[in-house]
PDB file of all heavy atoms in Angstrom:
ATOM      1  N   ALA A1487       0.360  -3.689  -1.232  1.00 92.00           N
ATOM      2  CA  ALA A1487      -0.613  -4.323  -2.147  1.00 92.00           C
ATOM      3  C   ALA A1487      -0.180  -5.724  -2.393  1.00 92.00           C
ATOM      4  O   ALA A1487       1.011  -6.077  -2.440  1.00 92.00           O
ATOM      5  CB  ALA A1487      -0.756  -3.538  -3.400  1.00 92.00           C
ATOM      6  N   VAL A1488      -1.204  -6.580  -2.648  1.00 91.00           N
ATOM      7  CA  VAL A1488      -0.932  -7.980  -3.047  1.00 91.00           C
ATOM      8  C   VAL A1488      -1.803  -8.256  -4.268  1.00 91.00           C
ATOM      9  O   VAL A1488      -2.811  -7.651  -4.491  1.00 91.00           O
ATOM     10  CB  VAL A1488      -1.226  -9.012  -1.969  1.00 91.00           C
ATOM     11  CG1 VAL A1488      -0.252  -8.840  -0.800  1.00 91.00           C
ATOM     12  CG2 VAL A1488      -2.669  -8.955  -1.525  1.00 91.00           C
ATOM     13  N   GLY A1489      -1.339  -9.190  -5.080  1.00 88.00           N
ATOM     14  CA  GLY A1489      -2.033  -9.616  -6.279  1.00 88.00           C
ATOM     15  C   GLY A1489      -1.150 -10.427  -7.150  1.00 88.00           C
ATOM     16  O   GLY A1489      -0.006 -10.796  -6.758  1.00 88.00           O
ATOM     17  N   GLU A1490      -1.612 -10.714  -8.339  1.00 84.00           N
ATOM     18  CA  GLU A1490      -0.794 -11.459  -9.318  1.00 84.00           C
ATOM     19  C   GLU A1490       0.294 -10.555  -9.835  1.00 84.00           C
ATOM     20  O   GLU A1490       0.049  -9.356 -10.057  1.00 84.00           O
ATOM     21  CB  GLU A1490      -1.698 -11.926 -10.464  1.00 84.00           C
ATOM     22  CG  GLU A1490      -2.694 -12.977 -10.088  1.00 84.00           C
ATOM     23  CD  GLU A1490      -2.145 -14.340  -9.788  1.00 84.00           C
ATOM     24  OE1 GLU A1490      -1.096 -14.717 -10.401  1.00 84.00           O
ATOM     25  OE2 GLU A1490      -2.670 -15.073  -8.927  1.00 84.00           O
ATOM     26  N   GLU A1491       1.454 -11.116 -10.121  1.00 79.00           N
ATOM     27  CA  GLU A1491       2.554 -10.331 -10.706  1.00 79.00           C
ATOM     28  C   GLU A1491       2.065  -9.721 -12.048  1.00 79.00           C
ATOM     29  O   GLU A1491       1.337 -10.372 -12.775  1.00 79.00           O
ATOM     30  CB  GLU A1491       3.806 -11.178 -10.928  1.00 79.00           C
ATOM     31  CG  GLU A1491       4.614 -11.331  -9.650  1.00 79.00           C
ATOM     32  CD  GLU A1491       5.970 -11.966  -9.929  1.00 79.00           C
ATOM     33  OE1 GLU A1491       6.734 -11.375 -10.761  1.00 79.00           O
ATOM     34  OE2 GLU A1491       6.242 -13.009  -9.389  1.00 79.00           O
ATOM     35  N   ASN A1492       2.511  -8.497 -12.287  1.00 76.00           N
ATOM     36  CA  ASN A1492       2.209  -7.780 -13.511  1.00 76.00           C
ATOM     37  C   ASN A1492       0.724  -7.586 -13.705  1.00 76.00           C
ATOM     38  O   ASN A1492       0.241  -7.536 -14.848  1.00 76.00           O
ATOM     39  CB  ASN A1492       2.839  -8.517 -14.723  1.00 76.00           C
ATOM     40  CG  ASN A1492       4.330  -8.610 -14.596  1.00 76.00           C
ATOM     41  OD1 ASN A1492       4.984  -7.675 -14.139  1.00 76.00           O
ATOM     42  ND2 ASN A1492       4.858  -9.748 -14.969  1.00 76.00           N
ATOM     43  N   ALA A1493      -0.074  -7.546 -12.646  1.00 79.00           N
ATOM     44  CA  ALA A1493      -1.511  -7.327 -12.730  1.00 79.00           C
ATOM     45  C   ALA A1493      -1.868  -6.245 -11.746  1.00 79.00           C
ATOM     46  O   ALA A1493      -1.055  -5.802 -10.955  1.00 79.00           O
ATOM     47  CB  ALA A1493      -2.219  -8.626 -12.386  1.00 79.00           C
ATOM     48  N   HIS A1494      -3.143  -5.839 -11.818  1.00 86.00           N
ATOM     49  CA  HIS A1494      -3.632  -4.799 -10.890  1.00 86.00           C
ATOM     50  C   HIS A1494      -3.705  -5.440  -9.465  1.00 86.00           C
ATOM     51  O   HIS A1494      -3.974  -6.648  -9.299  1.00 86.00           O
ATOM     52  CB  HIS A1494      -5.034  -4.357 -11.290  1.00 86.00           C
ATOM     53  CG  HIS A1494      -4.984  -3.677 -12.600  1.00 86.00           C
ATOM     54  ND1 HIS A1494      -4.407  -2.440 -12.823  1.00 86.00           N
ATOM     55  CD2 HIS A1494      -5.536  -4.057 -13.823  1.00 86.00           C
ATOM     56  CE1 HIS A1494      -4.561  -2.109 -14.076  1.00 86.00           C
ATOM     57  NE2 HIS A1494      -5.226  -3.067 -14.710  1.00 86.00           N
ATOM     58  N   PRO A1495      -3.512  -4.594  -8.435  1.00 93.00           N
ATOM     59  CA  PRO A1495      -3.628  -5.127  -7.069  1.00 93.00           C
ATOM     60  C   PRO A1495      -5.033  -5.696  -6.803  1.00 93.00           C
ATOM     61  O   PRO A1495      -5.998  -5.175  -7.307  1.00 93.00           O
ATOM     62  CB  PRO A1495      -3.400  -3.903  -6.202  1.00 93.00           C
ATOM     63  CG  PRO A1495      -2.691  -2.894  -7.050  1.00 93.00           C
ATOM     64  CD  PRO A1495      -3.145  -3.189  -8.429  1.00 93.00           C
ATOM     65  N   ARG A1496      -5.079  -6.760  -6.017  1.00 94.00           N
ATOM     66  CA  ARG A1496      -6.343  -7.328  -5.626  1.00 94.00           C
ATOM     67  C   ARG A1496      -6.722  -6.906  -4.199  1.00 94.00           C
ATOM     68  O   ARG A1496      -7.908  -6.926  -3.844  1.00 94.00           O
ATOM     69  CB  ARG A1496      -6.260  -8.879  -5.701  1.00 94.00           C
ATOM     70  CG  ARG A1496      -6.178  -9.342  -7.109  1.00 94.00           C
ATOM     71  CD  ARG A1496      -6.103 -10.869  -7.177  1.00 94.00           C
ATOM     72  NE  ARG A1496      -6.101 -11.239  -8.603  1.00 94.00           N
ATOM     73  CZ  ARG A1496      -5.839 -12.454  -9.006  1.00 94.00           C
ATOM     74  NH1 ARG A1496      -5.499 -13.400  -8.143  1.00 94.00           N
ATOM     75  NH2 ARG A1496      -5.853 -12.767 -10.282  1.00 94.00           N
ATOM     76  N   SER A1497      -5.752  -6.562  -3.427  1.00 94.00           N
ATOM     77  CA  SER A1497      -5.973  -6.037  -2.089  1.00 94.00           C
ATOM     78  C   SER A1497      -4.875  -5.066  -1.758  1.00 94.00           C
ATOM     79  O   SER A1497      -3.730  -5.222  -2.191  1.00 94.00           O
ATOM     80  CB  SER A1497      -5.987  -7.196  -1.061  1.00 94.00           C
ATOM     81  OG  SER A1497      -6.367  -6.780   0.222  1.00 94.00           O
ATOM     82  N   ALA A1498      -5.252  -3.993  -1.046  1.00 95.00           N
ATOM     83  CA  ALA A1498      -4.240  -2.958  -0.724  1.00 95.00           C
ATOM     84  C   ALA A1498      -4.647  -2.166   0.483  1.00 95.00           C
ATOM     85  O   ALA A1498      -5.811  -2.223   0.912  1.00 95.00           O
ATOM     86  CB  ALA A1498      -4.062  -1.996  -1.908  1.00 95.00           C
TER      87      ALA A1498
END
Side-chain angles (χ1 to χ4, degrees):
V1488 296
E1490 294 286 331
E1491 277 191 59
N1492 302 318
H1494 297 292
R1496 292 182 175 166
S1497 187

